[in-house]
């Protein structure tokens, strides 16, 4: 929980909500966007080799089809805030759910490679919208005393979505007797994997009709009476609703609308604090974490593990991701953001270096030797654990806290854009790099993990326990 939220909870006189279960339901429904974010980001893992085979494409073209969704992500994230301010948070969720559904159907029934890429962009746009709207809505609806814990639902939903998609892929592959192009329900297995996303997408859309609009948006369009009803439901009927509405109105009037111009410094382009935010975002991606979720099945198959087992290992990696995320949520407000980031960097650098060593072994009958194979599997899981308990959560906490109020919104936008670009660079380059030298690719990721250590030590300031007004 941020210091601002803590002060509101302790000093604002707000009572606990009468129906905390109702508040949790609202938050969980909004976090379904995070679930779809994680699910869609990871589900392609099960289709990579089948797409390569069906369309007879090389690693470079394959990488572009996989990574092209990130272009849609960037556009969706950049436009979601303005769309939500004009038509409301709930309508924005419903648009995202509709696009998710369309993308799932189109991806499952492509008639050409460019057609599949187009549906990937549509799905990416929905991901970008969900990644912005979910946290914003939860922050605006959650009672101040519970905001920190409820806000963590979004990240939890993302990692659960990743895990469920891997489990579903594994089940579908087994039903198709281990063949990604095996027939199921008249389609190839990989098409079913992509099409199954219709289920959570439709559920997300239905849930959006069962939750209230954000009080902040309702007040912004003059619907104060409706806003009071929502506030009474989520913050308790004993609060002074008129005073609470006046408080929100005052906060909205006094907010500074940050612009790109506010981020510029005199010599280095951006202000130093903005460069630190960009650095955090970029390092988070350059360690290669998304390789573990986009390409893990392909990776394990390339060193001789059969498809069913490779899908199972992808699922166990996702479980480790959830465990690490829970550890981070427990520790981030206790030990601080910077110590967690440093521990994560050290752990990732070692694990990636060990993976690089294991993948340097000569394949025997298309497989890694037994010792190197076991070491590679363990190191891959250790890498994901250290990422999840540190950079996976800490970077988002830092970005939400580290910027001065005057530039926070614009600086967050730039840092998020840098993250999508770095994500695209890693996702698009991995197939070609792994064809060149898989061990060398992991050496590169290990170097970036090692470089993040001096970066954090020298440039990143601890934000634990500081009021947002102290940042700068």
């Amino acid at each position: 929980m941020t210091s601002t939220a803590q002060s509101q909870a302790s000093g604002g006189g707000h009572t606990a909500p009468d129906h905390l279960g109702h508040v949790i339901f609202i938050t969980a429904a909004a976090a379904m966007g995070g679930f779809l974010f994680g699910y869609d980001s990871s589900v392609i893992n099960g289709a990579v080799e089948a797409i390569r085979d069906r369309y007879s494409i090389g690693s470079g073209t394959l990488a572009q089809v996989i990574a092209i969704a990130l272009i849609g992500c960037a556009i969706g994230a950049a436009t979601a805030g303005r769309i939500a301010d004009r038509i409301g948070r709930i309508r924005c969720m419903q648009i995202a759910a509709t696009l998710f559904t369309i993308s799932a159907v189109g991806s499952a029934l492509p008639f050409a490679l460019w057609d599949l890429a187009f549906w990937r962009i549509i799905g990416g746009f929905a991901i970008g919208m969900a990644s912005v709207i979910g946290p914003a809505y939860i922050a605006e609806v959650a009672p101040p005393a519970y905001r920190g814990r409820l806000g963590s639902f979004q990240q939890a939903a993302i990692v659960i979505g990743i895990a469920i998609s891997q489990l579903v892929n594994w089940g579908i592959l087994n039903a198709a007797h281990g063949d990604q192009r095996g027939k199921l329900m008249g389609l190839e297995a990989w098409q079913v994997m992509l099409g199954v996303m219709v289920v959570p997408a439709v559920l997300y859309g239905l849930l959006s009709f069962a939750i209230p609009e954000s009080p902040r948006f309702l007040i912004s369009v003059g619907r104060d009476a409706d806003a009071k009803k929502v506030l009474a439901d989520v913050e308790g009927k004993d609060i002074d609703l008129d005073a609470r509405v006046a408080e929100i109105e005052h906060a909205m009037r006094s907010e500074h609308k940050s612009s790109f111009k506010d981020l510029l410094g005199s010599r280095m382009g951006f202000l130093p604090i903005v460069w630190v935010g960009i650095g955090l975002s970029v390092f988070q991606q350059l360690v290669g974490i998304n390789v573990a979720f986009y390409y893990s099945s392909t990776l394990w198959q390339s060193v001789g593990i059969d498809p069913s087992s490779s899908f199972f290992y992808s699922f166990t990696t996702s479980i480790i991701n959830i465990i690490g995320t829970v550890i981070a949520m427990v520790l981030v407000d206790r030990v601080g953001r910077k110590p967690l980031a440093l521990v994560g960097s050290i752990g990732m650098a070692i694990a990636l270096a060990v993976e690089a060593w294991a993948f340097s072994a000569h394949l025997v009958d298309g497989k890694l030797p037994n010792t190197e194979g076991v070491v590679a599997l363990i190191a891959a899981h250790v890498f994901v654990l250290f990422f999840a308990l540190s950079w996976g959560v800490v970077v988002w906490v830092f970005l939400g806290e580290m910027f001065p109020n005057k530039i926070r919104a614009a600086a967050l936008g730039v840092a998020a854009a840098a993250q999508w670009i770095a994500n695209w660079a890693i996702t698009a380059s991995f197939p070609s790099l792994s064809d060149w030298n898989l061990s060398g690719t992991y050496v590169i990721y290990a170097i970036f993990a090692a470089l993040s250590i001096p970066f954090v030590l020298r440039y990143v300031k601890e934000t634990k326990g500081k009021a947002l007004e102290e940042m700068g």
Side-chain angles (χ1 to χ4, degrees):
M1 188 187 301
T2 65
S3 300
T4 300
Q6 288 171 330
S7 66
Q8 287 173 324
S10 60
H14 299 141
T15 60
D18 295 329
H19 305 291
L20 183 57
H22 178 58
V23 178
I24 291 173
F25 169 77
I26 291 171
T27 305
M32 269 298 294
F35 179 91
L36 283 166
F37 182 174
Y39 196 101
D40 187 80
S41 297
S42 183
V43 72
I44 194 68
N45 186 19
V48 171
E49 288 307 303
I51 292 171
R52 186 201 300 265
D53 182 61
R54 174 162 173 170
Y55 296 105
S56 302
I57 54 177
S59 294
T61 304
L62 176 69
Q64 295 307 318
V65 174
I66 304 304
I68 200 167
L70 299 172
I71 296 174
C73 289
I75 299 171
T79 58
R82 291 186 179 183
I83 294 173
D85 284 341
R86 291 194 174 193
I87 65 173
R89 283 56 165 157
I90 299 300
R91 290 285 180 268
C92 206
M93 290 181 196
Q94 290 163 355
I95 291 172
T98 301
L99 292 176
F100 269 125
T101 304
I102 293 171
S103 171
V105 174
S107 298
L109 304 170
F111 51 81
L113 189 63
W114 69 264
D115 174 47
L116 175 61
F118 173 76
W119 298 122
R120 294 274 300 151
I121 294 176
I122 297 297
F125 187 89
I127 287 178
M129 292 183 72
S131 70
V132 170
I133 296 305
Y137 175 85
I138 292 170
E140 292 173 357
V141 172
Y146 297 89
R147 187 171 296 139
R149 281 163 285 182
L150 293 175
S152 68
F153 275 40
Q154 177 79 0
Q155 180 64 21
I158 291 171
V159 296
I160 291 171
I162 291 171
I164 295 297
S165 74
Q166 303 284 28
L167 181 60
V168 170
N169 282 358
W170 181 54
I172 291 171
L173 186 70
N174 279 315
H177 308 292
D179 183 2
Q180 292 180 30
R181 297 199 61 188
K183 293 294 184 179
L184 279 177
M185 298 180 288
L187 300 173
E188 294 183 4
W190 69 273
Q191 294 176 276
V192 178
M193 292 176 189
L194 299 182
V196 164
M197 199 180 71
V198 165
V199 176
V202 170
L203 179 60
Y204 180 42
L206 292 175
L207 286 171
S208 71
F209 286 98
I211 59 178
E213 182 55 87
S214 154
R216 186 183 178 93
F217 173 74
L218 292 172
I219 291 169
S220 74
V221 294
R223 295 168 57 187
D224 290 10
D226 291 332
K228 289 176 183 177
K229 290 178 184 178
V230 178
L231 289 167
D233 281 343
V234 300
E235 295 191 18
K237 292 181 171 59
D238 296 332
I239 66 170
D240 185 336
L241 294 174
D242 290 327
R244 189 74 181 92
V245 169
E247 179 186 345
I248 294 172
E249 286 179 329
H250 175 73
M252 291 170 65
R253 282 196 303 268
S254 61
E255 280 179 355
H256 172 79
K257 297 292 185 182
S258 55
S259 67
F260 186 81
K261 191 179 296 184
D262 294 324
L263 308 182
L264 301 178
S266 56
R267 287 185 298 173
M268 300 185 341
F270 291 123
L271 296 168
I273 190 68
V274 178
W275 281 116
V276 174
I278 291 171
L280 285 167
S281 287
V282 169
F283 272 119
Q284 188 198 50
Q285 296 300 316
L286 293 185
V287 297
I289 186 59
N290 278 311
V291 168
F293 299 119
Y294 289 130
Y295 297 114
S296 57
S297 294
T298 297
L299 175 65
W300 297 125
Q301 289 173 53
S302 73
V303 293
I305 294 175
D306 67 86
S308 293
S309 296
S310 73
F311 275 53
F312 177 73
Y313 293 140
S314 296
F315 172 64
T316 59
T317 302
S318 299
I319 297 300
I320 294 294
N321 190 27
I322 293 173
I323 293 170
T325 300
V326 172
I327 293 171
M329 289 176 176
V330 171
L331 295 181
V332 70
D333 283 326
R334 296 185 181 182
V335 304
R337 292 79 163 119
K338 191 169 180 176
L340 272 184
L342 290 169
V343 168
S345 293
I346 294 168
M348 288 190 297
I350 294 171
L352 288 166
V354 171
E355 276 196 88
W357 170 81
F359 288 135
S360 68
H362 293 292
L363 300 184
V364 179
D365 296 326
K367 297 182 179 181
L368 281 177
N370 187 58
T371 300
E372 284 83 353
V374 172
V375 168
L377 277 172
I378 294 174
H381 285 74
V382 170
F383 163 62
V384 171
L385 176 65
F386 273 99
F387 176 86
L389 65 80
S390 60
W391 286 73
V393 170
V394 164
V395 167
W396 290 110
V397 176
F398 268 130
L399 294 179
E401 296 176 339
M402 64 187 288
F403 301 116
N405 284 333
K406 182 180 178 181
I407 66 167
R408 180 167 293 117
L412 257 170
V414 168
Q419 192 168 114
W420 287 120
I421 292 169
N423 188 342
W424 174 84
I426 291 296
T427 304
S429 64
F430 177 75
S432 296
L433 283 173
S434 61
D435 284 352
W436 161 68
N437 189 314
L438 184 57
S439 176
T441 302
Y442 274 83
V443 167
I444 293 170
Y445 299 156
I447 290 171
F448 281 122
L451 289 174
S452 70
I453 298 171
F455 173 79
V456 171
L457 285 172
R458 180 167 182 178
Y459 297 110
V460 178
K461 295 180 181 179
E462 180 59 76
T463 57
K464 174 192 170 187
K466 293 184 178 181
L468 295 181
E469 289 70 30
E470 297 176 54
M471 303 304 172

